[in-house]
Amino acid sequence: MYKKVALAIAFSPRMEALISETKRLVALFGSELILIHIGKRTDELEFLLQEMILKTGLDQSKTKLIWKEGKPVKMIIEACKEENADLLVAGALKHERLLTYYMGSVGRKIIRKAPCSVLTLIEPKVGSTLFDKIVLNGTELEITPHVIEVGINFSKQLHAEQVHILNEIKMYGLQMGTASEDSEEEASQTRRQLVQNEMHYVEEILKTIDQGDLKINIKVTGGRWAVELARFCEKIEADLLVVGDEQKLNFFDRIFPHDLEDLLSTLPCNLLIVKN
């Protein structure tokens, strides 16, 4: 799936865990690894990084180190473009008091401007995280067929036990479809038809994808997709949520919260953001 995986590293307590997690993915996908460090290159830091590479057992023949100085977001994006990275791995931050995770301003800018897909890990582990329960966003968007295909392939590669695809009934469609009904029975029939339509949308996409031995569950819900996805992930204790990003952050998104921005504010679990 990914020929080149990039990891932006800093000399923090989580560096070993992030490298270990990324090492596992690189091994699964047969990828090259690009380690990006933003900051002044010194003999001491280079020695510490080489020690970490040896400690984590990275294949040095398939690992490239890039040192850049400058603004972190600009330099990380620049490195990903120069190396034609397919996937960028990043860590999330934690609100200790609220016990929730979020992406700060630097993380959000990286996600928005990254030329490749981004995997955000909320609790990277040295022993590597198991991705047993994976949730895909099936909301009808232009990028959704690609999101589902990537999510299914990712799930197969990681041998996920459960894969859930969550689609939503458009609330305006539900309101319009039931506004003129004469009886509760007719309104219920309309709601059932809307649910079937959303199920059919996902089923048609799945027909074009090799699902292997995966167990896939399609669920239809109402409400804003970001909110419903977060709730569902929390309910089933999902390990990974897969969504798509096909829009540039515009002026109105900065004033009114964007669905993806909502997810980044309070991450329900690890997050894979797929880009075309």
Side-chain angles (χ1 to χ4, degrees):
M1 287 182 63
Y2 303 109
K3 294 181 180 179
K4 291 187 177 182
V5 176
L7 171 63
I9 55 171
F11 290 91
S12 69
R14 297 202 302 171
M15 182 173 73
E16 183 181 354
L18 281 169
I19 291 178
S20 295
E21 294 278 17
T22 308
K23 174 192 170 186
R24 178 195 176 205
L25 295 175
V26 165
L28 283 172
F29 298 127
S31 316
E32 293 180 36
L33 175 59
I34 304 158
L35 294 178
I36 307 168
H37 177 71
I38 310 303
K40 189 174 182 179
R41 184 173 186 172
T42 66
D43 291 340
E44 181 182 2
L45 290 180
E46 194 165 9
F47 175 76
L48 288 173
L49 186 53
Q50 286 295 339
E51 275 198 327
M52 184 60 69
I53 289 174
L54 290 173
K55 184 178 181 180
T56 53
L58 287 177
D59 183 348
Q60 296 193 51
S61 66
K62 291 187 176 182
T63 302
K64 183 174 183 179
L65 300 180
I66 295 179
W67 298 76
K68 284 183 174 287
E69 292 186 47
K71 294 182 178 180
V73 174
K74 182 179 179 181
M75 293 299 101
I76 291 171
I77 300 307
E78 184 178 284
C80 288
K81 289 180 178 178
E82 289 173 353
E83 298 299 324
N84 293 316
D86 304 302
L87 179 69
L88 173 63
V89 181
L93 300 176
K94 184 177 182 181
H95 280 302
E96 294 295 345
R97 292 181 182 178
L98 301 177
L99 298 178
T100 57
Y101 295 84
Y102 73 102
M103 288 299 292
S105 59
V106 171
R108 293 181 191 214
K109 288 177 183 177
I110 288 174
I111 285 172
R112 284 297 182 183
K113 297 180 179 181
C116 57
S117 298
V118 180
L119 175 62
T120 300
L121 300 175
I122 60 175
E123 283 189 338
K125 299 179 178 65
V126 173
S128 296
T129 300
L130 294 177
F131 294 94
D132 288 333
K133 300 176 184 177
I134 298 180
V135 179
L136 317 181
N137 182 20
T139 301
E140 192 169 343
L141 302 168
E142 184 178 344
I143 198 173
T144 297
H146 182 53
V147 170
I148 292 177
E149 181 180 12
V150 170
I152 294 294
N153 289 332
F154 198 94
S155 300
K156 286 195 301 183
Q157 203 75 24
L158 275 76
H159 305 290
E161 292 183 359
Q162 301 175 25
V163 178
H164 304 270
I165 302 178
L166 199 66
N167 197 355
E168 66 166 346
I169 301 176
K170 308 300 183 292
M171 293 309 293
Y172 65 85
L174 180 60
Q175 291 165 357
M176 290 181 63
T178 58
S180 60
E181 301 295 346
D182 296 325
S183 68
E184 178 60 33
E185 182 180 346
E186 290 174 321
S188 296
Q189 177 60 37
T190 299
R191 283 192 289 267
R192 285 195 293 270
Q193 185 61 53
L194 289 171
V195 169
Q196 290 175 4
N197 291 343
E198 300 303 336
M199 293 280 288
H200 179 72
Y201 168 75
V202 175
E203 289 167 349
E204 287 300 304
I205 295 174
L206 289 175
K207 286 180 180 179
T208 66
I209 303 170
D210 178 8
Q211 301 161 43
D213 297 325
L214 292 177
K215 298 177 181 178
I216 300 175
N217 170 48
I218 304 173
K219 181 177 175 61
V220 177
T221 184
R224 290 181 55 204
W225 63 261
V227 175
E228 295 303 322
L229 280 169
R231 286 176 179 169
F232 184 72
C233 287
E234 290 172 355
K235 180 181 178 181
I236 70 166
E237 298 181 340
D239 302 305
L240 178 68
L241 171 60
V242 183
V243 301
D245 182 20
E246 59 183 351
Q247 299 177 345
K248 301 288 185 181
L249 187 63
N250 59 37
F251 175 74
F252 290 103
D253 287 326
R254 296 180 188 277
I255 299 176
F256 304 103
H258 187 276
D259 284 316
L260 184 54
E261 294 293 306
D262 288 347
L263 280 175
L264 297 178
S265 297
T266 309
L267 296 176
C269 59
N270 300 307
L271 182 67
L272 174 60
I273 300 171
V274 177
K275 300 197 178 190
N276 278 323

